[in-house]
Amino acid sequence: MDHREVAAVLTYAGRLDPRLIRTDPGEADNQLDTWHELLGDVPMATGQGWDVREIVRKRIVMSPYPILPADVAREWQAHRRERLARHTDPTPAADPDNPEAWRAELLAARDAVAAGQAAPSAHRGITAGRHRSGLKDQLAAVGSYIPSAVRAELAPFRPARAAREAAIAAGGPDVLGVPCEWCHAAEGESCRRRRITLDGTARGNAPRATAHPGRIDRALAEQAQASSA
């Protein structure tokens, strides 16, 4: 704000709080100079939610003490910090091989946001809610992130996963989609070899290429229940 705008703010504040009015010309000039010294880099109003008159009115209503120019300056700094906290630097249009131009464009964008000349640029966040129509078809069209040829080469090293994928492809149940009551393997984990010793305790932790029969029966039962539902 220039001297004229600061004088307008002082006139507005004095109308709301007569304690700010200075009748002596020397005191009035000193008051104007002090306010301009602290509010010279504070805008009168921006198109992004800042109006110094609203700040003055709120401060006079909330505090029993006369408003000070530092009160307005602190509100402006808080407003700037809040805007910059919501801002994400967009990719500059400048040549990335020109670091000076790249940096200058970033700083110009930040200064515009801080000064209230531009709205903060936010990240595109992941939103909750219903999936849009056709999403499953789009995901199916993408395919697997592992090519089929690579998957076939990995099959000998992943026998349990290979058997699971083969069963699902043949229309069978996902046996790893249910926990195993025999070896206590959690959902998604392969069954483990479980040996019962003479004292009745269970030992063995080697993974099995195939699921235990009880787990297969449970997966079949849940598949049949889901089909009939």
Side-chain angles (χ1 to χ4, degrees):
M1 289 186 288
D2 54 25
H3 277 81
R4 181 180 55 83
E5 291 173 324
V6 173
V9 172
L10 275 171
T11 301
Y12 176 74
R15 182 164 59 86
L16 299 181
D17 186 357
R19 293 176 298 177
L20 296 172
I21 298 176
R22 300 293 183 266
T23 57
D24 182 83
E27 292 183 359
D29 289 342
N30 290 335
Q31 183 188 45
L32 178 60
D33 291 341
T34 300
W35 278 65
H36 182 262
E37 180 70 22
L38 293 176
L39 303 182
D41 59 347
V42 177
M44 184 74 142
T46 68
Q48 303 293 328
W50 169 265
D51 191 328
V52 71
R53 292 165 297 183
E54 290 294 327
I55 300 301
V56 169
R57 188 180 65 83
K58 181 179 70 173
R59 181 69 183 183
I60 292 176
V61 170
M62 297 297 295
S63 175
Y65 303 103
I67 187 173
L68 299 173
D71 297 330
V72 180
R74 279 192 290 266
E75 288 285 348
W76 169 246
Q77 293 300 325
H79 181 75
R80 282 170 51 93
R81 287 193 299 269
E82 189 272 334
R83 291 178 59 78
L84 289 175
R86 292 188 289 112
H87 176 68
T88 301
D89 292 324
T91 302
D95 185 358
D97 294 330
N98 187 345
E100 291 79 11
W102 183 279
R103 182 175 182 273
E105 187 173 341
L106 282 178
L107 293 178
R110 293 178 187 176
D111 290 341
V113 171
Q117 300 170 358
S121 176
H123 272 305
R124 294 178 58 188
I126 299 176
T127 57
R130 295 180 177 273
H131 295 301
R132 65 178 184 270
S133 58
L135 179 60
K136 290 184 177 180
D137 295 336
Q138 294 177 14
L139 292 177
V142 172
S144 173
Y145 65 93
I146 300 180
S148 57
V150 177
R151 189 183 299 275
E153 293 181 4
L154 292 175
F157 305 97
R158 306 186 305 171
R161 182 179 292 274
R164 178 189 189 186
E165 293 173 352
I168 295 175
D174 181 8
V175 294
L176 300 188
V178 296
C180 182
E181 297 180 355
W182 172 252
C183 65
H184 303 294
E187 181 178 339
E189 295 182 358
S190 302
C191 286
R192 300 283 178 175
R193 299 186 184 278
R194 196 173 179 219
R195 294 180 289 109
I196 305 299
T197 61
L198 296 177
D199 57 359
T201 58
R203 290 188 177 182
N205 199 36
R208 288 169 49 101
T210 59
H212 285 108
R215 192 176 195 179
I216 298 176
D217 292 342
R218 182 175 179 180
L220 286 170
E222 292 197 3
Q223 184 186 40
Q225 184 178 2
S227 301
S228 60

